[in-house]
Amino acid sequence: MADETFDPDLIHAIFKHVWTRRYLDRERNGGNGAMESEAGVGTSKKNRPTSANAHALKLSCELLRTFVAEAVNRAADIAEAEGVTKIEATHLERILPQLLLDF
Amino acid sequence: MYNYFRWFPDGKIVFAAPSRPLVMQQIEACHNIVGIPQEWTIDMTGQLSPSIRACYWKTKRVFFVTPQVLEKDIQSGTCLVKYLVCLVIDEAHRALGNYSYCTAVREVMSVPVQLRILALTATPGSKQQTIQLIIDNLHISTLEYRNENDDDVSPYVHNRKIELIEVAMGNEAAEIYNLFLDIIRPYVNKLSTFGLLQNRDYQTVWSLLGNCLLSPVDLLNSRDKFRQAPPPNLPHIKFGEVEASFGALITLYHIRRLLSSHGIRPAYEMLEQKLQQGPFARFMSKNEIIRKVKLLMQQSLAHGAPSPKLSKMLEVLVDHFKTKDPKHSRVIIFSNFRGSVRDIMSALANIGNLVKATEFIGQSSGKTLKGQSQKVQQAVLEKFRAGGYNVIVATSIGEEGLDIMEVDLVICFDANVSPLRMIQRMGRTGRKHDGRVDILFSSVLLVLACQGSELKGYMRKQASGKAIKKHMRNGGMNSFKFHPSPRMVPHIIKPEVQLVELSIEQFVSRGKKVKGDQAIETPVCKDKLTVAESEIIAKYFHPTSSNLGPSLIAFPHFQTFPSGVHKVVHSYRTGMLIDLMQHLQGLTFSRDGISFLEDEVASSKCLGVQTECEKKDEKDSLILDDIQGSKSPKQVTYSELSPIGTLRTKEKHSMPHFYETSPAAHAYLFGSDFVSVDALGNVLIVSLPSLPFEELSHSKSTRVSNTLVLNHMKQDSFHLKASDGNCNEITMQDKAVAEVTTSQTTYIKNGALQISSLCESGEQEEKMLDGFENILESPIVKRKLLNDGHIFSETLDVVEIKELSLLADEYNDDLRDTDLSPRLTNLVKSGVVPESPVNESGLLNSDERNEFLFQDLASPDKLRTEELTKSPNLGKMERGSTDDGTTGRNVSVSPVNKETQTPLLKMKRSRGRTILSPVTEEPETSLTNVRNSSSSRDWHLSPGDKSENVEPVRKFKRLCKAVDHGKNRNPLSMNENTVVAGVKLARSSCDTSSIQNKQGKGKTKLMEDVRAFIDEEAEVSSEVEISDDEEDDQDHNSHDDSFIDDRINPTAASTQIASGGVDMMAIYRRSLLSQSPLVRQPDFSSICSPDSAAPMTRTSESGSSSGKTLYSIQTPQIESKEQSASKNPAPVRINQEGITSETMPCATTDSIRENERSMENGKRKFSFYQSRSIPAINLEQQFSLQSEAAGIESCQQSEADKIETNGDALDDDQFYEYLDFDAVEEHAALLLKQKSEFTMHKQDITPGPKLQNLGVNDSPSFDLGI
């Protein structure tokens, strides 16, 4: 399983990227408004960027892997039905709504 | 334990250890030794809430608990005592008194449960009695004693060297020590005189004191004894003195011991503290010796007073770390007092880097030193293990159970402790045994003892320990009394010793350690990604994801069925989405049909425009020119697809504009809009949400919007193709048939009507709402979007339609005009339902045109009825898209016919109207609409005699109103419509309804006349053999009629009542409902009667009647449709089609509606109102007929009367008046095309009453809705 799934490092890097970005956004927003002062006690924790522990990261990898695999497979079905050998964006768009609802 | 784990698969095993760190430690140790699967084990401490513990008690099998938890859970019953098979008690020497071990075991034993209790301890006790107590408390049956010399223990015991270092006490300390003796002496003497010191005479006591062998414990025991049983000869007054003496003694002894074992500083602090407060201060403050001692101590402390023990200890430590690697060697220094711990710490701080020391003390916070919380303790141990510290200075808390492998030196700072604790202290070292790793550490137990008394104490305790060991030998059989315990394993089974190699998974500790792992991991993760990779990540994960994502709405069709899945199954929400999309798509299907019809209509309009262009020179050249001018852009727009939508929207706009005059009208419009979604289409739908009708309309509107969009798309594509085909066909027809002129005229009329409507709409738009336009724009955009997806299907449909049209053309030889309608119908049918159209076309071919029309109409009607019946049967869902589609198509077919017919009529009338009153566009439109409906029917008739039909139609309307005309026309229609008997029957039903309405109105005469006409028609129809289908239709109609009748009767009653002013609300509702269907029916009937010549119209009427029935059921939609139809011919058709298509959903919804009629009533009311307002036009005709019949006055008079009545009459009257006005207008337009002023007046009047009506309706509707 570990071989097939995404590299946790990659996922973690992506997560980290998003988290830090959000953290920066929040800080920016917080700096402008009075939120920071109002938050008071809880700020120390809120100010820290989100983090994930190893297990959560593993799970995220697996979830993403499943999601991508499912998306590709479904899109492939559509493409196959159309007689095309290449999955295109439209194929993905067709299965996307249901796919998103399935996850 | 492992055996029990295997033997008793259901059994629970409990391992109890006294402290939390020990519990954590043991669970790991047990796992590593015997490999009990971790999923069965759980460690539970007081930190877990009882509820969670209860859960664990049920699910797990091996429990590592603290005794308190065990006790509590057994008492609360959450521990499943009956499943217990093995209870392991670590550090069993604590099982004394009321400790949790004892109570837990007692609880367990009180339940008759067979279990094995295994108690482990390294230090059972220092006395035989205590060991016996433990054995009693824990119900021990066998005692297994091992010492370090035994075979099975020795492999695990490593060299342990006990070194006793004697340190001489400093001079000052010794001096103070002796001074303390002086202080103590008098108190001891006093107590001894009272005989309270345990049977010892003063001398013994003194000797004991001198040797420091009289411990505070002894004094405490004496005091307790004194308190419990004071000597009888002692006077009570002395009690206080004795107590004080005891207290002072104890304190002094304590201080003295501190002095001897830990040095001056702790003793001095203790003394200082004691002297500042409490009884001791009072007692001793006057003692000079105490002051002297204090002074001495101060002096020595001022010198720095290095304690010899401390210096020795430092010496030993430094030596130790010189020989051992400071990184791998660990030292524990035990001291009994925190004060000395602090001293040691401060001393250690001076050594330097070699020693990294920390203190390890208990939780309780003393006065001078703060305790360490368990968390801090854990952290200290963690660091100690990891190497953060290599020296721990511990109090007694560190004595028990700490499993720190690397400790190879233990220093006991004070030797004067119980042998029990000495053994425990010793146990801290020499543990570096992995069994396999045979690294022998020359572990050292270093005991620092002071000369003299301390040393003696130590020696004594060692001796007593040895005595106990003797007791233990031989299993203690001789010394202790044991408790029998049952054999747990059945005797049949003889367990054999077996050497099993256990493969043990790596222990994964819970909680804290995971965090540590992650903390280590994350930085690693960071490092693994190269800079390029992180750049890629940064590139693809923009902070602002402005990238165009995939569209979720691009392929709505693909959401109507579940997509194939790979591994992830569809969720419930996906199912909901699919259902919803199917609903929407189903509607779209039906609406597609509608759209086709609309397209056809548009094409017909285009054709008409073309014909108009051709015949510009002909009649109404001026008007035509205007029309042409308007049409040419329109045509352009048609070619552009979107323009069509705009035109329709304009028409729709015009419709709304009429109503917009009054805010109430808006509501009507909205209601009608959402009901008649097709006609009003986008605008209405858009507007609907804003209205209060939102609840009802939302679902509909959403569907409608989708369907509308689709329709528009299809329409657009359709229009292009259809327009071409239609144009060709029309041109062909024009050339071939002499009657083409009529058709052309009709077309022209249609075009004119359209133009007029467009003009009106344009004006209205200009005048009216800009928001509508905006709304329209948005829908258009949607249409465009949808167009791409739907074009293919549309094109296919178009092709089919063209083919069908060709076929129809071929078949249609006689009257191309009529053919056009059939063709249109055929086209529509073909477009909508490719299958049915062929049959119909075949039928058409075989039979006469009329018959064809009839059959077609009838078939659609039947289909409609069937569909209607089916749709409710099928349920409210439109999943049966095919059925719905067919129904919608059928419906659409009929509307097409109507539309085709209507345009002609409208054209005719529009001509007159356009000529007469271009100014009065609104009334004209309404009139045209009404006329169109009638004209459409007439138009069907017209193929044979268009002019006649038109005239008759008008006459019929008038005549129908005035029975004679209707009769005259009816016979004509009868003659013409011999084939149309079925239609007539339908008409008859309609007529009956109308008659009933009339009856309700009290116009019996008219009713009778109508009935007679109907009868005649029925006879004719009976004569006609086509009756089968027609009869079916009639049956349906009759059913519908029955419904209608029922409603009509109440409505009539209600109308009467309304006139009476009783139960206005209910009456209004009923009247509205009944009236709307009735009115419509009458309209249809009136139309039918005029259309008697035109079976097509009648069939369409029958369809309409079915639609009416549907209307009656679904009145709101029908009404809205009617309204729309009445307003704009094309919209009318569209509306009808839409209605029919809607009827499907309506039918489906009908059941729902019926169920929810209360709710629906409001809607219906709205719709009724709308229908009234719009249908009012239709109704107006009827009403006008009625009014005319009643009044039999001239149109003007009737109008005047009506106007008057409007002003005076009730709401119903107003409605009627409106109808009358419209009818009057129509009459005026039709008959004489009277002065525009009249129409203007009428128009003016009509809006007013409409407004009133609307307002009135609104209020009642609300009430009714409630």
Side-chain angles (χ1 to χ4, degrees):
Chain A
M1 209 47 135
D3 303 334
E4 298 168 355
T5 193
F6 292 120
D7 184 9
D9 301 335
L10 173 68
I11 302 302
H12 186 257
I14 293 170
F15 282 3
K16 204 93 178 170
H17 186 78
V18 175
W19 288 333
T20 46
R21 196 177 62 214
R22 201 190 306 147
Y23 165 65
L24 292 176
D25 289 347
R26 203 168 41 207
E27 229 180 19
R28 213 178 303 134
N29 296 335
N32 296 337
M35 291 296 292
E36 204 70 17
S37 59
E38 287 178 4
V41 180
T43 51
S44 65
K45 245 185 183 172
K46 281 181 182 173
N47 281 343
R48 234 179 300 148
T50 316
S51 63
N53 78 13
H55 293 298
L57 206 55
K58 232 180 193 170
L59 200 59
S60 303
C61 289
E62 185 57 23
L63 175 65
L64 287 170
R65 187 193 68 79
T66 312
F67 181 80
V68 171
E70 187 68 22
V72 170
N73 275 295
R74 289 187 187 184
D77 286 347
I78 299 290
E80 209 172 311
E82 288 187 0
V84 186
T85 55
K86 190 195 259 179
I87 296 175
E88 291 170 2
T90 55
H91 301 141
L92 193 60
E93 281 179 345
R94 284 172 207 186
I95 54 98
L96 196 52
Q98 291 183 24
L99 180 71
L100 290 180
L101 285 177
D102 287 341
F103 274 89
Chain B
M1 248 178 85
Y2 185 60
N3 284 338
Y4 277 95
F5 179 76
R6 288 189 301 133
W7 292 340
F8 301 97
D10 292 331
K12 312 271 187 198
I13 299 167
V14 175
F15 190 107
S19 71
R20 206 182 300 157
L22 281 180
V23 167
M24 303 295 287
Q25 194 174 296
Q26 293 298 343
I27 191 173
E28 187 170 350
C30 286
H31 179 83
N32 288 335
I33 290 167
V34 292
I36 292 173
Q38 233 184 327
E39 59 262 29
W40 290 113
T41 63
I42 184 67
D43 57 294
M44 295 190 294
T45 63
Q47 285 178 325
L48 286 175
S49 75
S51 56
I52 296 173
R53 289 209 303 260
C55 178
Y56 281 139
W57 277 115
K58 285 176 195 147
T59 55
K60 304 283 185 177
R61 288 184 54 204
V62 182
F63 308 93
F64 294 85
V65 299
T66 54
Q68 289 80 10
V69 167
L70 182 65
E71 179 193 358
K72 289 275 187 312
D73 284 344
I74 287 174
Q75 281 170 355
S76 66
T78 53
C79 169
L80 306 172
V81 176
K82 298 206 170 168
Y83 292 101
L84 280 182
V85 291
C86 183
L87 173 62
V88 182
I89 295 174
D90 197 12
E91 313 289 352
H93 59 273
R94 289 182 178 232
L96 290 170
N98 263 337
Y99 193 67
S100 299
Y101 278 151
C102 306
T103 53
V105 170
R106 241 178 279 138
E107 296 275 351
V108 169
M109 296 312 284
S110 68
V111 181
V113 126
Q114 284 197 339
L115 85 164
R116 178 78 68 209
I117 296 176
L118 176 63
L120 309 170
T121 181
T123 55
S126 57
K127 278 181 279 187
Q128 190 182 338
Q129 294 91 327
T130 42
I131 296 175
Q132 182 62 51
L133 263 180
I134 293 166
I135 289 171
D136 290 343
N137 285 338
L138 300 182
H139 297 262
I140 300 296
S141 61
T142 314
L143 187 128
E144 296 271 343
Y145 175 76
R146 302 280 185 278
N147 67 12
E148 53 230 37
N149 300 323
D150 287 335
D151 291 339
D152 45 357
V153 178
S154 55
Y156 302 106
V157 177
H158 304 284
N159 259 355
R160 204 158 56 180
K161 196 168 59 183
I162 299 178
E163 232 175 83
L164 190 59
I165 300 173
E166 293 188 35
V167 181
M169 232 193 295
N171 292 332
E172 293 160 340
E175 192 181 339
I176 296 164
Y177 193 72
N178 288 328
L179 280 178
F180 266 105
L181 264 187
D182 294 340
I183 303 168
I184 288 167
R185 190 174 294 132
Y187 297 104
V188 174
N189 284 338
K190 197 184 285 178
L191 288 177
S192 298
T193 54
F194 291 132
L196 292 173
L197 284 182
Q198 288 191 351
N199 304 325
R200 287 171 184 157
D201 59 6
Y202 171 75
Q203 287 305 325
T204 12
V205 169
W206 181 242
S207 67
L208 284 174
L209 277 174
N211 292 325
C212 197
L213 293 181
L214 186 62
S215 68
V217 178
D218 292 330
L219 286 172
L220 278 175
N221 288 340
S222 303
R223 189 169 69 171
D224 287 344
K225 217 173 179 179
F226 166 74
R227 281 178 182 168
Q228 285 167 10
N233 57 345
L234 201 64
H236 274 280
I237 309 160
K238 294 281 185 183
F239 276 15
E241 195 181 337
V242 170
E243 281 284 344
S245 300
F246 270 121
L249 264 184
I250 290 166
T251 309
L252 286 172
Y253 267 108
H254 187 71
I255 292 167
R256 192 159 169 258
R257 230 178 94 197
L258 271 182
L259 179 66
S260 67
S261 58
H262 297 284
I264 296 171
R265 184 185 296 272
Y268 172 72
E269 283 169 0
M270 188 71 167
L271 182 63
E272 191 83 341
Q273 191 184 323
K274 288 290 179 189
L275 280 177
Q276 281 173 2
Q277 57 175 6
F280 181 79
R282 264 183 276 125
F283 200 66
M284 289 296 218
S285 55
K286 294 169 187 171
N287 195 319
E288 288 192 3
I289 305 172
I290 282 285
R291 271 186 228 142
K292 194 176 170 189
V293 166
K294 211 177 151 190
L295 259 180
L296 259 180
M297 289 165 93
Q298 272 174 334
Q299 282 174 4
S300 65
L301 283 177
H303 302 152
S307 163
K309 261 179 146 183
L310 259 184
S311 52
K312 185 69 186 171
M313 184 202 72
L314 294 181
E315 197 179 308
V316 169
L317 260 186
V318 171
D319 286 345
H320 174 76
F321 281 120
K322 272 177 187 165
T323 56
K324 308 274 181 180
D325 181 5
K327 283 176 186 168
H328 298 298
S329 176
R330 301 282 185 281
V331 177
I332 299 178
I333 300 169
F334 286 110
S335 171
N336 260 357
F337 297 103
R338 284 190 192 172
S340 63
V341 167
R342 196 191 49 199
D343 281 346
I344 295 166
M345 284 297 297
S346 59
L348 289 178
N350 300 327
I351 290 183
N353 293 332
L354 273 185
V355 175
K356 286 168 282 184
T358 186
E359 56 183 3
F360 185 62
I361 57 178
Q363 297 186 74
S364 62
S365 292
K367 286 157 191 162
T368 54
L369 280 175
K370 235 176 119 183
Q372 282 177 325
S373 71
Q374 282 192 329
K375 262 188 189 169
V376 177
Q377 288 174 15
Q378 293 276 8
V380 166
L381 286 183
E382 205 69 45
K383 269 193 134 181
F384 187 60
R385 280 201 188 93
Y389 301 119
N390 57 10
V391 175
I392 280 186
V393 183
T395 57
S396 59
I397 190 181
E399 287 171 2
E400 276 182 18
L402 289 184
D403 190 10
I404 300 162
M405 290 299 181
E406 292 86 359
V407 172
D408 44 18
L409 176 64
V410 171
I411 298 173
C412 300
F413 199 70
D414 43 0
N416 196 6
V417 290
S418 69
L420 211 131
R421 289 167 69 182
M422 276 320 282
I423 292 169
Q424 291 284 0
R425 285 181 180 187
M426 284 191 289
R428 292 320 109 209
T429 188
R431 280 176 172 251
K432 190 75 176 184
H433 59 79
D434 247 357
R436 295 176 292 274
V437 185
D438 279 344
I439 302 170
L440 287 186
F441 280 67
S442 61
S443 303
V444 177
L445 177 66
L446 193 59
V447 179
L448 293 174
C450 286
Q451 257 177 344
S453 63
E454 194 176 9
L455 181 60
K456 282 176 194 168
Y458 174 70
M459 293 309 288
R460 192 183 70 167
K461 277 158 188 168
Q462 289 297 312
S464 71
K466 272 177 192 152
I468 294 298
K469 280 178 191 169
K470 272 181 209 155
H471 285 295
M472 299 290 210
R473 294 268 156 74
N474 306 320
M477 284 309 224
N478 303 326
S479 315
F480 302 112
K481 192 174 68 179
F482 291 108
H483 301 264
S485 83
R487 182 186 170 88
M488 291 296 286
V489 179
H491 289 278
I492 307 165
I493 301 168
K494 300 277 183 203
E496 291 178 3
V497 177
Q498 204 176 354
L499 187 60
V500 179
E501 187 148 353
L502 298 171
S503 64
I504 300 166
E505 297 171 9
Q506 195 190 352
F507 179 78
V508 179
S509 61
R510 313 182 313 135
K512 231 177 128 187
K513 283 187 181 173
V514 177
K515 281 184 197 165
D517 294 345
Q518 192 266 340
I520 294 166
E521 270 184 16
T522 47
V524 175
C525 296
K526 271 289 188 189
D527 296 334
K528 279 181 188 171
L529 287 182
T530 65
V531 177
E533 283 171 336
S534 39
E535 277 177 358
I536 289 172
I537 290 173
K539 177 183 170 189
Y540 281 102
F541 292 87
H542 285 294
T544 57
S545 60
S546 59
N547 295 346
L548 287 177
S551 168
L552 288 176
I553 58 167
F555 299 98
H557 278 309
F558 276 85
Q559 310 312 327
T560 56
F561 55 88
S563 64
V565 295
H566 177 54
K567 277 179 182 171
V568 179
V569 188
H570 285 306
S571 66
Y572 173 67
R573 287 177 297 174
T574 301
M576 290 177 67
L577 172 73
I578 291 167
D579 285 347
L580 186 67
M581 291 306 291
Q582 279 176 348
H583 283 296
L584 295 175
Q585 296 294 317
L587 288 174
T588 59
F589 283 127
S590 62
R591 291 181 180 175
D592 291 347
I594 297 164
S595 65
F596 285 110
L597 296 172
E598 292 177 353
D599 294 336
E600 291 175 356
V601 174
S603 64
S604 66
K605 292 177 181 178
C606 294
L607 294 172
V609 173
Q610 292 176 353
T611 57
E612 289 175 356
C613 292
E614 291 176 355
K615 295 179 180 178
K616 289 178 182 177
D617 296 339
E618 293 179 357
K619 302 172 182 177
D620 302 332
S621 61
L622 295 173
I623 297 166
L624 289 171
D625 292 339
D626 296 338
I627 294 165
Q628 288 172 353
S630 63
K631 285 178 180 178
S632 61
K634 289 178 181 177
Q635 290 174 352
V636 175
T637 57
Y638 283 110
S639 63
E640 292 174 355
L641 298 180
S642 63
I644 294 167
T646 58
L647 291 171
R648 293 178 182 175
T649 56
K650 289 177 180 178
E651 293 174 353
K652 295 173 182 178
H653 285 296
S654 65
M655 292 299 289
H657 289 298
F658 286 102
Y659 294 101
E660 284 172 356
T661 55
S662 65
H666 287 290
Y668 284 102
L669 294 171
F670 288 110
S672 64
D673 291 340
F674 83 82
V675 175
S676 65
V677 174
D678 296 336
L680 297 175
N682 301 327
V683 175
L684 294 174
I685 293 163
V686 176
S687 62
L688 288 176
S690 63
L691 294 174
F693 297 95
E694 289 173 354
E695 292 177 354
L696 298 172
S697 63
H698 281 300
S699 61
K700 294 178 180 178
S701 64
T702 56
R703 295 177 183 177
V704 172
S705 63
N706 295 329
T707 57
L708 289 171
V709 176
L710 295 172
N711 291 330
H712 289 292
M713 296 298 290
K714 293 177 179 178
Q715 289 175 356
D716 295 337
S717 63
F718 218 79
H719 287 296
L720 293 171
K721 296 176 181 178
S723 63
D724 297 337
N726 291 326
C727 292
N728 294 330
E729 293 175 356
I730 293 164
T731 56
M732 292 297 291
Q733 292 173 357
D734 293 338
K735 294 176 181 177
V737 180
E739 294 176 353
V740 170
T741 57
T742 59
S743 65
Q744 290 174 352
T745 57
T746 57
Y747 286 112
I748 295 164
K749 291 176 181 177
N750 292 328
L753 290 171
Q754 294 174 353
I755 294 163
S756 64
S757 63
L758 293 170
C759 295
E760 293 174 355
S761 64
E763 293 176 354
Q764 291 174 352
E765 287 175 354
E766 292 175 355
K767 296 175 180 176
M768 295 305 287
L769 300 173
D770 296 337
F772 284 98
E773 294 176 354
N774 294 330
I775 295 163
L776 292 169
E777 291 176 355
S778 63
I780 292 166
V781 175
K782 293 178 181 176
R783 293 174 185 174
K784 292 177 181 176
L785 294 173
L786 294 172
N787 287 329
D788 297 335
H790 294 285
I791 288 166
F792 294 99
S793 62
E794 293 176 355
T795 57
L796 295 173
D797 295 337
V798 173
V799 172
E800 292 177 355
I801 294 163
K802 290 177 179 177
E803 293 176 354
L804 293 170
S805 65
L806 294 172
L807 295 171
D809 294 336
E810 293 176 355
Y811 290 109
N812 295 330
D813 295 334
D814 296 340
L815 296 176
R816 291 180 180 177
D817 296 340
T818 57
D819 290 341
L820 291 173
S821 63
R823 288 176 185 174
L824 293 171
T825 57
N826 290 331
L827 291 171
V828 173
K829 291 177 181 177
S830 65
V832 177
V833 183
E835 296 176 355
S836 64
V838 176
N839 295 329
E840 293 175 354
S841 65
L843 294 171
L844 292 168
N845 294 327
S846 66
D847 295 339
E848 292 177 357
R849 298 171 186 172
N850 293 329
E851 290 177 355
F852 288 122
L853 296 170
F854 221 21
Q855 290 174 351
D856 293 340
L857 295 170
S859 64
D861 294 338
K862 292 177 181 178
L863 293 172
R864 292 174 185 173
T865 55
E866 291 175 356
E867 290 173 355
L868 292 169
T869 56
K870 290 177 180 176
S871 61
N873 291 331
L874 292 173
K876 301 164 184 178
M877 302 301 287
E878 295 174 356
R879 293 177 181 176
S881 62
T882 57
D883 295 341
D884 294 341
T886 56
T887 58
R889 293 170 184 177
N890 294 327
V891 175
S892 64
V893 172
S894 65
V896 172
N897 294 329
K898 293 178 180 177
E899 291 174 355
T900 56
Q901 295 171 356
T902 54
L904 296 171
L905 295 172
K906 291 177 180 177
M907 291 299 289
K908 293 175 181 177
R909 293 179 181 175
S910 65
R911 291 175 182 175
R913 291 178 184 175
T914 53
I915 296 165
L916 291 173
S917 62
V919 176
T920 62
E921 293 174 352
E922 294 177 355
E924 288 177 356
T925 57
S926 64
L927 293 171
T928 56
N929 293 329
V930 176
R931 292 173 185 175
N932 289 332
S933 62
S934 63
S935 66
S936 64
R937 297 168 187 174
D938 295 339
W939 168 240
H940 291 289
L941 297 171
S942 66
D945 298 332
K946 292 179 181 177
S947 64
E948 292 177 353
N949 288 330
V950 175
E951 292 175 356
V953 171
R954 297 175 184 175
K955 292 177 180 177
F956 276 112
K957 293 177 181 177
R958 301 173 185 175
L959 291 173
C960 288
K961 297 171 184 176
V963 179
D964 294 339
H965 295 285
K967 288 178 181 178
N968 293 329
R969 292 177 184 176
N970 288 330
L972 294 173
S973 64
M974 290 298 287
N975 295 329
E976 293 174 351
N977 294 329
T978 56
V979 179
V980 188
V983 177
K984 291 179 179 177
L985 292 173
R987 295 175 182 173
S988 66
S989 64
C990 295
D991 293 341
T992 56
S993 64
S994 64
I995 292 164
Q996 291 174 352
N997 293 327
K998 292 176 180 177
Q999 289 176 350
K1001 295 175 180 176
K1003 298 174 181 177
T1004 58
K1005 294 177 181 179
L1006 295 171
M1007 291 299 290
E1008 291 175 354
D1009 296 336
V1010 174
R1011 288 178 183 177
F1013 288 106
I1014 293 164
D1015 293 340
E1016 292 175 354
E1017 291 178 352
E1019 290 176 356
V1020 175
S1021 64
S1022 65
E1023 291 175 355
V1024 177
E1025 293 178 353
I1026 303 166
S1027 61
D1028 294 337
D1029 298 339
E1030 295 175 353
E1031 287 175 354
D1032 295 334
D1033 296 339
Q1034 292 173 353
D1035 294 340
H1036 295 291
N1037 293 327
S1038 64
H1039 292 292
D1040 298 340
D1041 293 340
S1042 64
F1043 289 104
I1044 296 165
D1045 293 342
D1046 295 340
R1047 293 181 180 176
I1048 291 163
N1049 294 328
T1051 56
S1054 65
T1055 54
Q1056 293 174 354
I1057 295 165
S1059 64
V1062 179
D1063 295 338
M1064 294 299 287
M1065 297 300 289
I1067 293 164
Y1068 281 108
R1069 294 176 182 175
R1070 293 178 183 178
S1071 64
L1072 292 171
L1073 294 169
S1074 64
Q1075 287 174 355
S1076 62
L1078 292 171
V1079 171
R1080 293 172 184 176
Q1081 291 173 353
D1083 293 336
F1084 285 103
S1085 66
S1086 65
I1087 296 165
C1088 289
S1089 62
D1091 292 341
S1092 62
M1096 290 298 290
T1097 58
R1098 292 179 181 177
T1099 55
S1100 65
E1101 291 175 356
S1102 64
S1104 66
S1105 65
S1106 63
K1108 290 176 179 177
T1109 58
L1110 295 174
Y1111 290 116
S1112 63
I1113 297 166
Q1114 304 168 348
T1115 54
Q1117 295 176 350
I1118 296 166
E1119 292 174 355
S1120 63
K1121 294 174 182 178
E1122 290 178 355
Q1123 294 173 353
S1124 63
S1126 64
K1127 291 176 179 176
N1128 297 326
V1132 170
R1133 295 175 184 176
I1134 297 164
N1135 291 331
Q1136 291 174 349
E1137 295 174 354
I1139 292 161
T1140 55
S1141 63
E1142 291 175 354
T1143 55
M1144 293 306 290
C1146 293
T1148 57
T1149 57
D1150 287 342
S1151 60
I1152 300 168
R1153 290 180 179 176
E1154 291 176 354
N1155 294 330
E1156 300 172 353
R1157 280 185 179 178
S1158 62
M1159 295 299 292
E1160 292 175 358
N1161 287 333
K1163 297 177 180 178
R1164 290 180 182 176
K1165 293 173 182 177
F1166 291 107
S1167 63
F1168 284 110
Y1169 290 114
Q1170 296 171 351
S1171 64
R1172 288 177 181 175
S1173 60
I1174 301 168
I1177 300 166
N1178 297 329
L1179 293 172
E1180 286 173 356
Q1181 296 174 351
Q1182 296 175 354
F1183 286 105
S1184 65
L1185 294 172
Q1186 295 174 355
S1187 66
E1188 288 175 357
I1192 308 170
E1193 293 175 355
S1194 65
C1195 295
Q1196 294 177 352
Q1197 292 176 352
S1198 64
E1199 290 176 355
D1201 294 338
K1202 290 174 181 177
I1203 295 164
E1204 292 174 355
T1205 56
N1206 289 330
D1208 297 336
L1210 296 171
D1211 294 340
D1212 293 341
D1213 294 339
Q1214 290 176 351
F1215 286 104
Y1216 289 108
E1217 291 172 358
Y1218 291 109
L1219 295 172
D1220 294 339
F1221 286 108
D1222 293 340
V1224 172
E1225 292 175 354
E1226 291 175 356
H1227 289 295
L1230 293 170
L1231 291 170
L1232 300 174
K1233 296 178 180 178
Q1234 293 174 349
K1235 297 175 183 178
S1236 61
E1237 293 176 353
F1238 284 104
T1239 57
M1240 291 298 288
H1241 291 291
K1242 291 176 182 178
Q1243 291 174 353
D1244 294 339
I1245 294 162
T1246 53
K1250 286 178 181 177
L1251 293 170
Q1252 294 174 353
N1253 291 327
L1254 293 170
V1256 175
N1257 291 328
D1258 289 342
S1259 61
S1261 65
F1262 286 109
D1263 294 337
L1264 293 170
I1266 296 164

